[in-house]
Amino acid sequence: MQTVIRSARHDDAARIAVLATQVWLHTYATEGISAGIADYTRSELTPDKYLAIQNDALAHIWVAERSAHLIGFAVLNMGVPCPTRASTLAELQTLYVQAHFVRQGVGRQLMSVAEKRAFDLAGMPLWLTVNAHNAQAIGFYMHQGYTKQGTTDFVLGDQRHENLVLIGRTPPCT
């Protein structure tokens, strides 16, 4: 089956929110669902939040579909300084692929469109954060040429989750 990558539409917001919740829980709820995790997913991974991103002139969302089913999405956020390298302002805020479709090229396709947009708009590489315990995602990013620049914490209630800060390749010379 062919994967179609396209810009998100407003009617995608509910599906994006559900997929985000599923992937986020798989990453962060490794010990079950705490009150903090429940509160976060209910307040932050909502259709309204994804509609707001779609309406933000400095952000863009792409979705990956197969047979009209959403299987992944990426969010690019321009103008966000990298916490370890201020000259890079293009954040790959989110790159989520449903577990059933990992290792099928979906993440690479989504990353490629985000990288191209960042290069076209600002001539700079993407930066991102990834959970320090997510070996599969870290391996994916490293395989794509991303390098570790430092660490930062994702704070959820009274818990800190270490995230790696990674930066992509420098834009090609033209």
Side-chain angles (χ1 to χ4, degrees), residues 11-106:
D11 64 342
D12 292 321
R15 294 188 306 153
I16 293 169
V18 171
L19 179 59
T21 301
Q22 181 185 39
V23 174
W24 192 89
L25 288 172
H26 183 76
T27 301
Y28 285 97
T30 57
E31 296 177 13
I33 307 298
S34 68
I37 285 175
D39 290 345
Y40 181 86
T41 58
R42 289 183 38 226
S43 67
E44 297 301 317
L45 303 177
T46 67
D48 286 343
K49 294 280 184 169
Y50 290 103
L51 285 172
I53 293 169
Q54 288 181 46
N55 292 326
D56 183 340
L58 294 176
H60 196 86
I61 303 177
W62 294 272
V63 297
E65 285 185 319
R66 284 194 187 157
S67 301
H69 293 92
L70 185 69
I71 62 172
F73 73 97
V75 178
L76 172 66
N77 208 347
M78 297 299 295
V80 179
C82 177
T84 61
R85 186 171 166 183
S87 63
T88 301
L89 302 170
E91 178 190 20
L92 183 62
Q93 180 180 331
T94 308
L95 177 61
Y96 284 171
V97 175
Q98 190 177 36
H100 306 298
F101 301 96
V102 168
R103 297 181 186 220
Q104 295 182 29
V106 177

Side-chain angles (χ1 to χ4, degrees), residues 103-125:
R103 297 181 186 220
Q104 295 182 29
V106 177
R108 179 67 206 130
Q109 288 177 281
L110 287 164
M111 179 177 276
S112 180
V113 297
E115 286 174 333
K116 182 176 180 347
R117 174 68 66 94
F119 291 168
D120 289 349
L121 291 177
M124 60 183 57

